[in-house]
Amino acid sequence: MSMTHLETRLIPARFQPVLEAIAQASVALSDRIRRGGEMAQGAATADAAAEALFTAALRGAGVRWLSTPRQPAPQVLQPDGALAMALDPLEGAPGIEADIPAGTIFAIFAAADTGQAADTGAASFLRPARDMLAAGYVLHGPRCCLVVSCGQGTQVHVLDPESRRFALAHARVALPPTAPEFAIDAANYRHWARPVRAYVDDCMAGTEGPRAREFSMRWTSSLVAEAHRILMRGGIFLDPAIARPGGDRGRLRLLHQAAPIAFLIEQAGGRATDGALPLLDAPIPALDARSPLVFGSADKVERVAGYHDLPEAEVSALFGHRGLFRA
């Protein structure tokens, strides 16, 4: 019997082959990251090596179409496959040389049957984000973790380096409802919209501000590392639109990054928006479309959305005048 790399007893049968393939490639990728080699030769080389690993593993796993950020159009892996996968093989690759955790992000859709001989596969992905059937990420950090949701809660699997198998650690993880932490790249402060600045100002004001408590600010260059910390500890992540060329629609890829993270967070009881509106309610207009992303504990995400509804005079005022958001 061939070796399995993932405990699948709580995973629906239709997803078991594709998630086993993800686990298999992730074990190999984790080994390569630890050894260095091409993974320490720059982000482009590491991205290409990771993509090759996952593409090879996914052949024969039921995936008809595979879309990755490096490819301009989806590629056919299995013509009779029933699934379509959007995959970011190595998000955070530039941080590997500094030992910052990197990640793999994926979203699974039903392969669309267009009936067209010249089907390019795009129709499988250019649809409402809520059409996602499953999503997940793999965190390549001090522990290698595979986090996945097939629409019935979010599971956490942890890699045992001796057995080379992901064992189920949390059958249905629940995002902690509150934590005094927020993650945002403060270097872009001057480029944020006023509601975002107001929210951060109120957090930074600590016990003297309307939140009446001290907050800690976090930020790494790895989306998966931030998502995993928030999934385990609570808090909020903000990657808002910024007022400079190329930043008005956000930094993150909607299909390959933002939407699958939003799916996982919602399945764990959290919320995810584009700053104001639920992110999964948005259609995916293009394979390379970008989006702002705010996710985390439900109360915090809803509070950020509320700042967008404040009158301009109140958003522009000093934190002490925003009585609506006290504590």
Side-chain angles (χ1 to χ4, degrees):
M1 184 175 69
S2 61
M3 175 184 178
T4 60
H5 295 84
L6 178 65
E7 184 179 339
T8 58
R9 59 186 172 88
L10 296 183
I11 294 174
R14 69 183 297 198
F15 299 119
Q16 289 181 10
V18 66
L19 293 177
E20 168 62 25
I22 288 290
Q24 175 188 335
S26 296
V27 171
L29 181 57
S30 179
D31 288 344
R32 291 196 186 187
I33 290 174
R34 287 199 307 270
R35 290 198 306 265
E38 76 267 44
M39 294 297 161
Q41 294 176 13
T45 302
D47 276 335
E51 183 168 323
L53 274 175
F54 283 99
T55 301
L58 288 165
R59 294 190 187 279
V63 175
R64 185 186 310 177
W65 298 104
L66 176 65
S67 173
T68 67
R70 298 180 69 250
Q71 305 298 330
Q75 57 181 308
V76 179
L77 293 190
Q78 185 176 330
D80 63 347
L83 302 174
M85 175 175 282
L87 174 75
D88 187 346
L90 197 57
E91 182 274 328
I96 289 177
E97 293 180 67
D99 279 346
I100 296 173
T104 298
I105 309 174
F106 58 91
I108 300 174
F109 296 83
D113 188 0
T114 65
Q116 302 294 320
D119 187 1
T120 64
S124 294
F125 303 103
L126 305 185
R127 60 206 303 177
R130 284 200 189 277
D131 284 359
M132 226 180 304
L133 301 177
Y137 65 73
V138 181
L139 175 67
H140 304 285
R143 292 192 306 168
C144 186
C145 301
L146 191 159
V147 179
V148 63
S149 174
C150 300
Q152 297 178 328
T154 297
Q155 303 173 24
V156 178
H157 301 252
V158 178
L159 178 63
D160 179 346
E162 294 185 2
S163 68
R164 298 174 63 79
R165 190 168 187 262
F166 285 95
L168 184 66
H170 301 281
R172 197 180 183 97
V173 66
L175 195 152
T178 185
E181 295 182 351
F182 66 99
I184 194 167
D185 185 359
N188 287 316
Y189 180 91
R190 67 192 185 282
H191 300 298
W192 297 335
R194 283 181 175 174
V196 176
R197 281 195 305 230
Y199 175 83
V200 173
D201 286 347
D202 288 354
C203 290
M204 295 292 287
T207 56
E208 298 177 359
R211 308 300 302 280
R213 67 183 305 180
E214 298 296 334
F215 283 79
S216 298
M217 183 166 63
R218 307 279 187 253
W219 184 256
T220 69
S221 59
S222 170
L223 171 62
V224 170
E226 295 285 2
H228 196 71
R229 178 178 54 78
I230 288 173
L231 191 65
M232 295 293 104
R233 290 172 35 177
I236 186 171
F237 169 95
L238 304 97
D239 198 331
I242 54 177
R244 64 181 184 184
D248 59 326
R249 281 307 305 153
R251 177 183 67 91
L252 299 173
R253 289 179 175 269
L254 177 57
L255 173 62
H256 300 94
Q257 298 173 327
I261 294 296
F263 186 91
L264 289 166
I265 293 295
E266 284 201 1
Q267 286 291 320
R271 296 288 183 272
T273 71
D274 63 2
L277 302 174
L279 187 131
L280 292 180
D281 287 347
I284 299 171
L287 296 175
D288 61 352
R290 306 277 175 163
S291 176
L293 177 60
V294 175
F295 68 82
S297 301
D299 65 323
K300 290 180 170 55
V301 174
E302 290 165 0
R303 185 182 292 267
V304 171
Y307 275 71
H308 288 76
D309 295 331
L310 287 175
E312 177 66 20
E314 192 165 344
V315 173
S316 301
L318 294 175
F319 65 80
H321 297 292
R322 277 191 286 279
L324 176 62
F325 290 108
R326 287 202 168 275

